[in-house]
Each structure stands twice: as C-alpha cells, then as structure tokens.
C-alpha cells in the first residue's frame, strides 16, 4: 500500500477516521493525504442566486478546519509528511477526484451534515459507489 486518502470535516467521526488512516499508514509505510471540500453558499429559490459569502472566506475557513484537525493528530512515525488538499466542491466529489490512484480511501460514518438518522453519511455511499 502506497497512498491513503482520508476525508475530514472536523467532526468527531472524521477525526477517528483520520486517526485510523494514520495508524494504517504507519503499519504499511504509506503516505497520507487529508482532503476537505467546501462549497459556496447560495441564497434564493432553486439555488441560482449569487454566492452570499466571499469564496476566499469560505476557503480560509476550510483551511482552518484542516489545520486544526492536523494540529490535534499524531503524525509521528510516518514514512512521509502528511499531505493536504482543499477544493471547492461537495465533500464526495472532492474526495472522489483526489482519491484517483489511491490504494485506500478512508472516511467517517457521518460528518457535520444534517442527516443524523443515516447510518452512513451521505458522502460515504457516494465515495463507495465510485471506489
């Protein structure tokens, strides 16, 4: 195994997924890339109105989430420095795109989405279908 991609959103379950991915990377001497997607906020009927927040602010917020998750993670003993990737897009689309060529994709069972009754989050099934 050479490359592990893990999606995070700052939720407790995504942090557990990152911890698991880092442990697996130590065992397999694999590299780890931590991925986070962010989206523009739209207002209006049918989502066709202009974005309400400066995209730079949203991207900065995404970077803050990723930086905090990594600051709290144990990245010792890895074969390579942890890579990061942030992009504008749905969490699933960003993870799917970045995971091309990866040996393993890791994600939490549920994130910060609003569908608390789902056993798996809405991102997980989408990523699995493209794996």
């Amino acid at each position: 195994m050479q490359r592990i991609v893990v999606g995070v959103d700052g939720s407790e379950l995504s942090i557990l997924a990152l911890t698991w991915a880092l442990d697996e990377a130590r065992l397999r001497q694999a590299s780890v890339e931590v991925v986070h997607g962010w989206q523009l906020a739209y207002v209006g009927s049918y989502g066709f109105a202009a974005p309400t927040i400066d995209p730079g602010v949203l991207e900065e917020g995404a970077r803050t989430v990723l930086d905090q998750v990594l600051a709290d993670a144990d990245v010792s003993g890895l074969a390579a420095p942890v890579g990061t990737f942030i992009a504008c897009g749905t969490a699933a689309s960003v993870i799917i795109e970045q995971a091309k060529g990866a040996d393993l994709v890791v994600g939490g069972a549920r994130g910060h989405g609003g569908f608390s009754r789902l056993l798996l989050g809405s991102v997980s099934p989408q990523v699995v279908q493209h794996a």
Side-chain angles (χ1 to χ4, degrees):
M1 184 174 303
Q2 298 298 317
R3 182 170 166 251
I4 299 172
V5 171
V6 57
V8 299
D9 63 3
S11 68
E12 182 179 338
L13 290 174
S14 78
I15 292 168
L16 288 172
L18 174 60
T19 300
W20 188 90
L22 292 169
D23 288 343
E24 191 67 17
R26 283 185 201 91
L27 290 171
R28 310 276 183 202
Q29 296 297 300
S31 65
V32 175
E33 186 168 15
V34 184
V35 177
H36 182 76
W38 59 274
Q39 290 184 284
L40 295 172
Y42 287 92
V43 176
S45 60
Y46 306 107
F48 295 123
T52 59
I53 299 174
D54 175 15
V57 171
L58 294 172
E59 186 170 1
E60 183 179 320
R63 171 60 62 191
T64 299
V65 167
L66 196 56
D67 289 346
Q68 185 60 53
V69 166
L70 286 173
D72 294 340
D74 177 9
V75 296
S76 64
L78 296 171
V82 174
T84 60
F85 183 79
I86 293 177
C88 179
T90 66
S93 67
V94 172
I95 292 167
I96 290 165
E97 184 62 30
Q98 202 58 24
K100 289 181 179 175
D103 298 293
L104 180 65
V105 180
V106 180
R110 279 201 328 258
H112 280 307
F115 302 104
S116 60
R117 291 190 201 184
L118 292 174
L119 179 60
L120 291 177
S122 59
V123 175
S124 300
Q126 293 176 57
V127 173
V128 167
Q129 288 175 352
H130 286 87

